[in-house]
Amino acid sequence: SRLLSDWLTSASAPALSSDMSPAPPLQPGIVALKELGDQAYAAKDFQAAVERYSEALDITDDATVLSNRSAAHAQRRRFDRALADAERALALAPEWPRLHHRHGHALFHLGMYGEALGAFEKGLALDPADSSLYEAVEHLHVFTEPAPAMPPPARPSAAAAGGRPPPSAAPVAKPP
């Protein structure tokens, strides 16, 4: 489907603001830098957003800023960095469902589908009403749905092999 295709091929990270659970309180002293990063993100200047969030993180570790920088890295298709920031943020605020979404999103784009599903499910365990996590799980299930079973290939017949039996049907010589 078009929606699935868009989600799977997009670098789009979960939005900075959505119906997800509220962010933990911001650390003092970094509010202005975080807001500058948010403005750059909204303007789709993801490099500037990363720079502002990094400046804030030079002052103090903060789960919200790490989450936002993870999203900005994902927009730049730097999923390795998005994953690192999501994991760092989870160490600070493991009960915040949005971080599990960021974590799962980065894992998905790195091809770690089982781990991504686990991250999304952890987020849902924390906030069963989070529609973006439900959507992520649904898309992941569709994307990773096993292919229908294929019948084994038919063995060629003796006639198709030019009158000779297929190699697997050749007589086996017995040792003397």
Side-chain angles (χ1 to χ4, degrees):
S1 78
R2 174 84 175 134
L3 179 63
L4 176 63
S5 173
D6 290 347
W7 186 81
L8 295 175
T9 59
S10 166
S12 293
L16 292 182
S17 61
S18 71
D19 66 341
M20 294 181 185
S21 299
L26 213 57
Q27 296 290 325
I30 60 169
V31 173
L33 288 168
K34 183 217 172 266
E35 288 175 358
L36 289 172
D38 292 350
Q39 290 168 7
Y41 188 100
K44 298 187 184 308
D45 186 352
F46 303 117
Q47 178 59 41
V50 166
E51 290 169 5
R52 296 304 78 76
Y53 295 139
S54 295
E55 289 174 31
L57 292 166
D58 286 342
I59 296 169
T60 187
D61 267 0
D62 182 88
T64 302
V65 175
L66 283 163
S67 174
N68 289 2
R69 189 171 74 174
S70 176
H73 281 309
Q75 290 290 352
R76 298 185 68 233
R77 303 195 64 77
R78 293 303 313 262
F79 298 110
D80 54 333
R81 292 180 181 181
L83 178 62
D85 279 351
E87 289 176 342
R88 228 171 110 190
L90 277 167
L92 297 172
E95 301 301 314
W96 188 22
R98 182 179 305 176
L99 296 179
H100 295 280
H101 197 234
R102 298 261 192 258
H103 190 222
H105 185 262
L107 289 165
F108 173 85
H109 283 281
L110 291 170
M112 301 171 165
Y113 306 121
E115 294 92 335
L117 180 60
F120 294 143
E121 288 175 342
K122 283 181 187 175
L124 279 172
L126 294 168
D127 185 0
D130 189 321
S131 62
S132 64
L133 282 165
Y134 271 111
E135 182 179 307
V137 169
E138 288 173 2
H139 288 158
L140 190 61
H141 279 298
V142 170
F143 180 76
T144 59
E145 182 178 316
M150 299 291 290
R155 291 184 167 236
S157 68
R164 296 178 312 232
S168 60
V172 178
K174 294 184 181 183

